[in-house]
Amino acid sequence: MNPDLSEALAVAYASALEFHTGRLQRTPAATASVSQLLEAFDGPLPESPEAPDQVIHRLVRAAEPGLMGNFGGRFFGWVMGASHPAGVAADWLTSMWGQNGASYASCPANTVAEHVAGRWLCELLRLPPESSVGFTSGATMSHFVCLAAARDALLRKTGWDVEADGMFGAPRIGVCVGQDTHVSVLAALRYLGFGEGSTVRIPTDHDGRMLIDELRAALADRTGPLLVVAQAGQINTGAFDPVDAIADITHERQGWLHIDGAFGLWARTCPAKAHLANGIEKADSWTTDGHKWLQVPYDTGYAFVRNAEAHRRAMRIEASYLTTSEDGMHDPRNYVPELSRRARGFATWAVISALGKQGIADMVERHCELARAMSERLTEEPGIYVLNEVELNQFVVRFGSPEPSEAFDQATKAVTSRVQTGSVCFVSGSAWKGVSVMRISIISWLTTSTDIFQAADAIIDVWRCVKDAAGT
Ligand SMILES: *Cc1c(COP(=O)(O)O)cnc(C)c1O
């Protein structure tokens, strides 16, 4: 074996294991400042070669103080999975194998792994088996893919070929999203020429669910092509739009319904939570992440489109030098935005194999139970309020009073930032329905009930200090 390769990998392997073993002792937030990180990474452009193992040694020393603890059980910030061992190992091999996942010709094994894992995903999430699946970098890119397919199909019905003739002069597509839609939906709409400002925002209820009567009212005297984006799992509250009814309303108008199910779609894997996502199979396209609830390493997302032809027309990349696969295998490049790309099939195939359908369902259910237990523990303390119904794995916490108040916005921000710099757990902040909140997301396969109660106690302690300091 090439000594450079074996030595660099040996350093990486030892450092990775040490990092993982030490995670229980590490604070969940990065400990280094910007200036410390700059000092560690910066320097003149390297002039001459350096042995790869030396470089990796230096990389580990420079990076580790600036790493976050999401490979741990008490990390509740944003919505982040904790890379599963089978996924990490498959991902290491993906790098070692160095394949180009563009097509069957460039890597037969990956194309087949994506094909099989895509079918498994449709079965797990109970999506129509005829759907085509694109393996992307995450939900944002999956929205882009799905909404490009929607644009193709909706305009084609009016006789407009958007791939050939573009958006200028095309019939106008009416776009409706919930008021509390995820920003990535708006980004994808922007990339596709829809314009964020011309998107109709439908009012929502206290937990961020689209109000059906408001959607009906918005559509009352609207004609022409229609695109509706609904959510399975609001980013702050985990709430689900009433998708069953939204699907009927959209389809009465021959519209296209896309679902942002970045994490919430996984409720469908678990009998205790599946009712939340009723009717989702009626939609036309769906987005979910691999790097959230499925615990696949970054970066992995999936785009599912019922109309495989529209999906392919929107994304296809063809040229005489790119041979087309035979034997019914879809070349990935025709279903995702990239040509050369990581062979994304292996890590997903490995994680689904390692967890199994039952393991995934159990994990999702356990996270929902842990979220409820943690929210209950927190609200036993006077002055702590959970602002949403905890149906899934996400909740928002307010300190002092649930009502809008500058003083309690400040108190909530103070508790959040003190918890972040403490050594027990990591949470993130947000604003929800006009007030500052702490957001908690239970989504790591490593999280146990001990983690939940330790974290709740730490948050309560910080709140007591903040309250005492403010003399309230
Ligand atoms: C995380 C998230 C996204 C964006 O996903 P990325 O993988 O970060 O691109 C979109 N929608 C929801 C509801 C999310 O939670």
Side-chain angles (χ1 to χ4, degrees):
M1 196 202 264
N2 175 315
D4 275 355
L5 182 60
S6 60
E7 282 159 22
L9 288 179
V11 176
Y13 180 71
S15 308
L17 284 188
E18 209 172 293
F19 177 72
H20 191 241
T21 315
R23 76 190 156 76
L24 294 174
Q25 280 75 50
R26 285 173 52 87
T27 55
T31 52
S33 64
V34 181
S35 57
Q36 287 166 332
L37 288 168
L38 273 173
E39 199 182 321
F41 277 103
D42 209 355
L45 172 67
E47 197 64 48
S48 42
E50 179 181 359
D53 64 320
Q54 288 305 314
V55 175
I56 300 306
H57 257 305
R58 290 203 297 116
L59 172 64
V60 169
R61 274 201 306 277
E64 280 200 350
L67 299 180
M68 301 294 282
N70 42 327
F71 203 2
R74 292 194 300 277
F75 191 92
F76 311 120
W78 304 286
V79 185
M80 295 186 176
S83 310
H84 189 276
V88 174
D91 196 58
W92 281 15
L93 284 169
T94 302
S95 291
M96 274 300 286
W97 290 337
Q99 302 288 298
N100 186 333
S103 58
Y104 183 84
S106 67
C107 181
N110 176 65
T111 302
V112 173
E114 286 191 24
H115 172 83
V116 171
R119 211 190 65 223
W120 287 352
L121 286 164
C122 285
E123 192 177 332
L124 269 168
L125 300 169
R126 292 184 292 114
L127 300 179
E130 71 271 24
S131 307
S132 49
V133 189
F135 284 52
T136 66
S137 59
T140 306
M141 268 305 114
S142 291
H143 290 327
F144 174 79
V145 169
C146 291
L147 297 178
R151 190 178 70 162
D152 168 278
L154 288 169
L155 289 177
R156 189 160 298 268
K157 272 197 264 184
T158 71
W160 186 269
D161 179 349
V162 71
E163 277 75 44
D165 300 324
M167 285 290 263
F168 295 115
R172 197 175 181 84
I173 299 176
V175 184
C176 296
V177 305
Q179 188 57 47
D180 297 301
T181 195
H182 192 270
V183 285
S184 59
V185 170
L186 301 175
L189 287 169
R190 235 170 39 229
Y191 305 157
L192 290 162
F194 285 107
E196 198 174 319
S198 57
T199 299
V200 179
R201 306 288 290 263
I202 307 298
T204 51
D205 73 4
H206 57 285
D207 278 353
R209 298 178 196 92
M210 204 189 287
L211 293 166
I212 280 295
D213 290 343
E214 296 281 353
L215 176 65
R216 278 211 188 85
L219 295 177
D221 35 52
R222 212 168 250 277
T223 53
L226 172 68
L227 170 60
V228 178
V229 181
Q231 287 196 107
Q234 206 283 332
I235 188 76
N236 289 309
T237 65
F240 287 71
D241 283 337
V243 175
D244 205 25
I246 294 173
D248 292 343
I249 292 171
T250 307
H251 290 152
E252 275 162 24
R253 291 164 178 76
Q254 283 75 50
W256 179 294
L257 175 61
H258 171 65
I259 304 292
D260 176 1
F263 60 93
L265 211 51
W266 295 88
R268 289 173 71 79
T269 64
C270 130
K273 294 291 164 187
H275 64 280
L276 295 170
N278 271 349
I280 271 181
E281 66 287 352
K282 293 187 191 171
D284 301 283
S285 59
W286 306 260
T287 276
T288 197
D289 265 316
H291 52 227
K292 288 181 180 167
W293 234 333
L294 190 56
Q295 322 289 324
V296 177
Y298 286 100
D299 46 13
T300 305
Y302 315 106
F304 304 89
V305 182
R306 184 195 295 272
N307 180 342
E309 279 310 305
H311 187 177
R312 183 189 167 91
R313 277 195 303 267
M315 287 293 129
R316 81 196 154 79
I317 304 183
E318 279 161 359
S320 53
Y321 82 97
L322 298 169
T323 44
T324 297
S325 85
E326 286 150 25
D327 312 324
M329 283 295 131
H330 283 175
D331 282 317
R333 68 166 193 270
N334 290 323
Y335 298 87
V336 295
E338 306 91 359
L339 179 56
S340 293
R341 59 193 280 274
R342 188 166 188 79
R344 290 217 165 83
F346 300 132
T348 297
W349 183 92
V351 174
I352 297 176
S353 300
L355 289 172
K357 186 176 167 191
Q358 192 61 46
I360 293 168
D362 291 347
M363 175 177 65
V364 169
E365 186 166 349
R366 185 168 56 84
H367 286 152
C368 297
E369 280 165 8
L370 290 173
R372 181 175 295 273
M374 186 167 173
S375 70
E376 282 168 1
R377 176 76 154 237
L378 286 170
T379 50
E380 281 166 12
E381 176 71 13
I384 301 186
Y385 302 87
V386 168
L387 302 189
N388 62 299
E389 262 175 80
V390 188
E391 288 183 324
L392 205 68
N393 65 321
Q394 306 273 127
F395 58 98
V396 288
V397 190
R398 171 87 173 158
F399 295 87
S401 158
E403 301 306 323
S405 130
E406 178 58 28
F408 295 126
D409 278 355
Q410 290 310 323
T412 299
K413 287 180 188 164
V415 176
T416 303
S417 71
R418 281 213 212 174
V419 169
Q420 285 176 340
T421 51
S423 58
V424 180
C425 66
F426 192 89
V427 294
S428 51
S430 187
W432 179 242
K433 301 286 178 186
V435 301
S436 295
V437 291
M438 172 189 284
R439 294 179 64 252
I440 295 183
S441 171
I442 313 292
I443 198 158
S444 159
W445 65 277
L446 289 156
T447 300
T448 64
S449 58
T450 309
D451 288 322
I452 292 301
F453 292 122
Q454 280 181 1
D457 289 347
I459 293 168
I460 290 168
D461 283 346
V462 170
W463 160 236
R464 286 178 185 162
C465 292
V466 167
K467 190 165 61 166
D468 289 348
T472 49

